[in-house]
Amino acid sequence: MELKDIKSLTLYELENEISELGERGYRAKQIYRWLNLGIKTFDEMTDISKSFREKLKQNYMIANADIERKLVSNIDGTIKYLFKLYDGEYVEAVLMKYNHGYSICISTQVGCKMGCKFCATGKSGFSRNLLPSEMLAQIQTAQIDNDIRISNIVLMGMGEPLDNYDNVMKFLLLVSSPDGMNIGMRHISLSTCGIVDKIYALADEKMQLTLSISLHATNDKKRNEIMPINQKWNMESLIKACRYYSNKTRRRISFEYTMINGVNDSEEDAKELSRVLKGIISHVNLIPMNNIENGQYNRSSKKRIENFTKVLEKNGVNATVRRTLGADINASCGQLKRRAQQGR
Ligand code: SAH
Ligand code: SF4
């Protein structure tokens, strides 16, 4: 019999299952508390009898994220983790310290199907979706490793969250639950390359999370070239979905714009971006591109980024250049995994 993924259950679901196993429902609360603390084996549940722990082992597995590699930045203490999953797959997460607390950027898939040209994850292909429990486990392992409580989550690591929609929704439900890790939706951001039908679905869930759209280009010609998803859902359909999203949720949308030298960083691009975003309550994050190994693109110069920002400001667009944390441990999304696979 295949073991069930216990950490992806809500407390209510767990209570039902526990009573089906012939145990008292209140035991579920005890188990749930342990699972949310991030324990890795049933034997660590010290207030559960040995015989019941054995029963749990026969029916369930705990999906963990074990530290395989860890890089700590000497500049700002940012930590990049490479986690090993139950089946030997790897994903990355990055823990950052801000004035207001700790924030973690977690992965939602092993690899990604979207194939963006500037992205290391996109280049390494797709293996599988992460389980809700494996998204929780990344946060829990980082909390235990540093003896901290994490207050903010960004779904901006490896993978496309809206391509793993059901598991990501379950994760959001679990992580924000007062019975669980209790991290409020207003402390969570979700970043997507623009899977339009799922943006509508997300809008209808009316969650208070922050939606980030990875835009990176201002017209279909350029966006088609660097982001294949644009051939399925073009800019017009994406921007329309964004308007729907902000009308439904009344939340400001974040637009991510990776600055790629000579590709999307001219004055004309900045003007076009201002026109595209007209009338949307938005904020633009300009991200100096992280150069990737064997990549065909490079980061824009400081001068071009400054100039681009000025043109946006002149046109009334709210924009900031993203502070690069952990510059010395670089490895943009996906690079650590590629190195580990190549034995370096
Ligand atoms: N798949 C989702 C979330 C993960 S990617 C998405 O695309 O939004 C997280 C962010 O990193 C995206 O904005 C993505 O465009 C950006 N990114 C990917 N590769 C990058 C690189 N080499 N330099 C800078 N940003 C990059
Ligand atoms: Fe996937 Fe996001 Fe990378 Fe594109 S940028 S390949 S959507 S992880």
Side-chain angles (χ1 to χ4, degrees), residues 270 273-274 284 286 307-317 319:
L273 180 58
S274 322
V284 175
L286 298 170
N307 204 23
F308 195 92
T309 316
K310 272 196 200 128
V311 177
L312 288 183
E313 278 166 5
K314 228 173 36 202
N315 286 281
V317 175

Side-chain angles (χ1 to χ4, degrees), residues 26 59 164 177 241:
Y26 72 89
N59 289 278
N164 184 13
S177 152

